[in-house]
Amino acid sequence: TVQSNSTSVTSSASGAPKPAAAAPAPLSRGQLLQKILAQQSFGLLLLRLCVGTTMIAYGVPKFMGGEKYLEQVGYAMNFVGINFGYQFFGLMAGLVEVVGGLMLILGAYYRISCAALVFVMIMATLTQKAGLPANYSVSDFILSALHPLSMAGIFLSMLFIGPGRLSVQKQ
């Protein structure tokens, strides 16, 4: 037979009293917030959402700008010695930004996406000089190249950090 009261349960098989399991106390809002903020994976999820959405927002206009705009974007390959297929390379840059941004958000094919986005951002940095007027100053170049260069650094960092636990892809 089993005998129970509010403090212990005695089983006839072993005869030893077992303490009753206490229900965990609910967390206060402050404790819950502290627990969420202590989660590295939640921070990585927010980073992936913000940066991925930004890249999608940069990639979509490349498709909406038509062939001429894709050609202008693809002209970046001229800076590394490739002087053909500018529309194709512009299309690839747009695809990397849109699909890569989506993969960042999901956390799937994460490191491949980060590496591809690093390359696209380095090429964007190189092309900033081409968009400046003939009498540009060093500070003009720094200000125009700062954004794609910093994005390249963010993607390079994300490549090493990984997607975190809250992702489709498990490390």
Side-chain angles (χ1 to χ4, degrees), residues 65-112:
E67 294 175 4
K68 201 73 165 159
Y69 187 62
L70 287 175
E71 192 169 322
Q72 287 175 335
V73 171
Y75 187 75
M77 297 306 288
N78 202 35
F79 292 100
V80 292
I82 298 174
N83 53 9
F84 61 89
Y86 297 139
Q87 280 184 2
F88 171 76
F89 289 115
L91 177 68
M92 290 296 105
L95 279 174
V96 166
E97 289 176 353
V98 172
V99 175
L102 182 62
M103 292 298 109
L104 286 182
I105 291 170
L106 296 174
Y109 301 102
Y110 183 79
R111 288 191 166 89
I112 294 168

Side-chain angles (χ1 to χ4, degrees), residues 17-162:
K18 294 182 183 177
L27 296 174
S28 70
R29 276 189 265 169
Q31 290 171 323
L32 182 61
L33 182 62
Q34 279 182 330
K35 191 170 185 167
I36 289 172
L37 291 177
Q39 295 297 315
Q40 180 182 13
S41 290
F42 186 72
L44 289 172
L45 173 64
L46 289 177
L47 179 65
R48 290 192 343 252
L49 286 170
C50 293
V51 175
T53 303
T54 301
M55 290 317 300
I56 292 170
Y58 282 135
V60 168
K62 288 177 178 59
F63 298 110
M64 298 172 75
E67 294 175 4
K68 201 73 165 159
Y69 187 62
L70 287 175
E71 192 169 322
Q72 287 175 335
V73 171
Y75 187 75
M77 297 306 288
N78 202 35
F79 292 100
V80 292
I82 298 174
N83 53 9
F84 61 89
Y86 297 139
Q87 280 184 2
F88 171 76
F89 289 115
L91 177 68
M92 290 296 105
L95 279 174
V96 166
E97 289 176 353
V98 172
V99 175
L102 182 62
M103 292 298 109
L104 286 182
I105 291 170
L106 296 174
Y109 301 102
Y110 183 79
R111 288 191 166 89
I112 294 168
S113 298
C114 285
L117 286 163
V118 166
F119 177 76
V120 168
M121 290 297 107
I122 288 173
M123 295 308 296
T125 302
L126 293 175
T127 60
Q128 292 306 307
K129 184 178 178 184
L132 292 172
N135 60 351
Y136 73 92
S137 67
V138 174
S139 63
D140 290 336
F141 176 70
I142 290 171
L143 289 174
S144 66
L146 187 61
H147 178 69
L149 190 59
S150 62
M151 291 299 286
I154 289 169
F155 293 128
L156 190 60
S157 299
M158 290 173 72
L159 186 140
F160 288 106
I161 293 170

